[in-house]
Amino acid sequence: NNWELDVVVSDVKYVKVNDTTKFSLITIDNLQKMAMPVTLEIKTVTGKTDRVKLPVEIWERNNTWTFKYPSADEIQSVTYDPDKVFPDINPDNNVWNKPQ
């Protein structure tokens, strides 16, 4: 087959009406048919950087995945495939940045 990979970091929401002291909900979408594991790099406004790895099985039932990320700090950015090892066809949508 000629399936392609295009994962987008589509949304970051804070629980309790944008209260950043609890946790956030990060949503990623797979816009194509190819399924791969997910590596995300999460940076907070305080400078903390964290990596989250999700298995390929998250794409078995849906093309959208939302997960809880525990952080008392506001998120500055979320980057899909920060090491650029996956064959993503559109790297322009791999980063979510905090709205200005």
Side-chain angles (χ1 to χ4, degrees), residues 34-84:
M34 183 182 285
M36 299 289 284
V38 172
T39 301
L40 296 172
E41 183 174 84
I42 301 167
K43 293 182 181 179
T44 66
V45 294
T46 60
K48 177 185 167 194
T49 301
D50 191 16
R51 293 261 175 132
V52 173
K53 294 186 179 203
L54 303 170
V56 68
E57 288 82 11
I58 66 170
W59 305 122
E60 283 182 349
R61 296 197 176 137
N62 285 313
N63 59 356
T64 297
W65 184 259
T66 300
F67 67 97
K68 291 180 184 179
Y69 178 73
S71 176
D73 299 329
E74 189 176 7
I75 294 175
Q76 179 68 40
S77 67
V78 179
T79 303
Y80 166 74
D81 190 23
D83 300 319
K84 299 175 179 29

